[in-house]
Amino acid sequence: MSLAERKLFVERWIRSPLKVASVTPSGPELCRAMAKAALAGPARRVVELGPGTGPVTSALLSHGVSPDNLLMIELDPAFADHLALQHPTATVVRGDATRMQRILQTHGWPECNAVVSGLPLIAMPLSVQARIVRSAFSMLAPDGLFVQFTYGPFAPVNPELIRRMRLKPRRFAWIARNLPPASVWTFRRLP
């Protein structure tokens, strides 16, 4: 990550610490684990929520996701502008993740294979968290994955929401060398 990207990240965190939720971007090991958890590859359509300065984006592309199969939804205008410059052939949408279904339909995506989230879901009110997760699962292919990381010890989706939506959470990886240490979780629909 360049010095300019670190500076941008810290500036955005200072402006809105609850929305950015971390003082530092995700480390390389965490980003690689997120891409692996999403089964990133050339034939996969991936939606990334809250990409920030794009470290997970870079990992997804490095794992073979084609830029035309990557759609990023970023609420922060400075991050969205940065991503559009860094990844001109991918789709960057300045928008709200709760409107994911409408955004994907507007861009001609009937579904996707994975939704990879860098949003601080667990810190969000349950109603907002539910709208994001429901929207993601409404657009995921039947075998699709929702991938989320957390700094906490438990699944980063509210247990009541997991139960109501009949999701199967699985801790995919624990990344001790991230600052702070993080876990990557995957969520699938139960049959």
Side-chain angles (χ1 to χ4, degrees):
M1 174 164 291
S2 72
L3 184 59
E5 287 173 325
R6 287 190 189 282
K7 182 177 181 265
L8 173 62
F9 194 92
V10 171
E11 285 173 356
R12 303 318 291 173
W13 177 78
I14 289 169
R15 274 183 185 255
S16 191
L18 294 178
K19 287 183 182 173
V20 176
S22 176
V23 72
T24 183
S26 300
E29 288 183 36
L30 175 57
C31 296
R32 284 191 296 271
M34 294 284 284
K36 287 179 186 174
L39 306 174
R44 305 276 290 173
R45 272 200 150 171
V46 179
V47 173
E48 185 180 2
L49 306 178
T53 56
V56 173
T57 307
S58 296
L60 291 166
L61 294 168
S62 293
H63 278 78
V65 174
S66 169
D68 57 336
N69 279 337
L70 178 61
L71 187 145
M72 295 170 268
I73 301 174
E74 175 56 60
L75 187 60
D76 185 286
F79 284 155
D81 291 347
H82 172 78
L83 291 163
L85 287 172
Q86 293 299 112
H87 306 286
T89 56
T91 302
V92 179
V93 176
R94 182 178 165 209
D96 188 330
T98 62
R99 293 183 171 81
M100 182 184 339
Q101 187 174 14
R102 182 176 299 142
I103 290 169
L104 267 64
Q105 290 170 345
T106 299
H107 286 85
W109 284 38
E111 65 182 20
C112 61
N113 303 106
V115 173
V116 176
S117 172
L119 299 174
L121 268 188
I122 204 69
M124 295 177 177
L126 180 58
S127 61
V128 175
Q129 189 181 130
R131 285 200 321 263
I132 292 169
V133 175
R134 282 193 181 106
S135 186
F137 276 94
S138 74
M139 297 310 296
L140 280 168
D143 63 341
L145 288 163
F146 183 83
V147 181
Q148 175 73 47
F149 76 89
T150 184
Y151 301 125
F154 306 109
V157 173
N158 184 288
E160 180 61 21
L161 184 57
I162 290 171
R163 187 190 63 73
R164 275 192 267 155
M165 289 187 64
R166 297 182 31 82
L167 301 178
K168 180 180 179 183
R170 176 180 166 248
R171 185 189 314 255
F172 178 82
W174 183 65
I175 313 301
R177 292 179 52 169
N178 193 68
L179 183 63
S183 292
V184 175
W185 287 76
T186 60
F187 298 83
R188 292 181 183 268
R189 291 183 190 97
L190 286 170

